[in-house]
Amino acid sequence: NRENGDGRPDVVVADLEDQRAFVLELKHAESEETLDAGVQEALDQIAKFRYMEGLSPSLKQRRAYGIAFHKKRCAVRMFR
């Protein structure tokens, strides 16, 4: 994880052997009802700060996910 201030994703998991990487942007929701809004906020942040562009173009598989959580509930959506 190379989080270091603005412009960095919360988590990057890279598997260089299989040439794939996953970006995870996490948000805390104030309630279960706001989980979807939290996921959208995470996806918007991935787009705004162009996190996918920071990954090596040599990776065959690159994916990003917005994740929002509240207590033991979570919502996840893949960035497109």
Side-chain angles (χ1 to χ4, degrees), residues 14-51:
D15 177 357
L16 301 179
E17 185 175 314
D18 289 330
Q19 297 181 340
R20 59 187 175 179
F22 302 93
V23 171
L24 307 176
E25 186 59 37
L26 310 170
K27 297 294 177 189
H28 175 261
E30 294 297 320
S31 67
E32 264 188 69
E33 292 76 22
T34 61
L35 284 172
D36 286 337
V39 168
Q40 189 58 53
E41 182 183 347
L43 295 173
D44 291 345
Q45 186 171 331
I46 292 167
K48 179 179 178 180
F49 291 107
R50 301 186 309 242
Y51 292 157

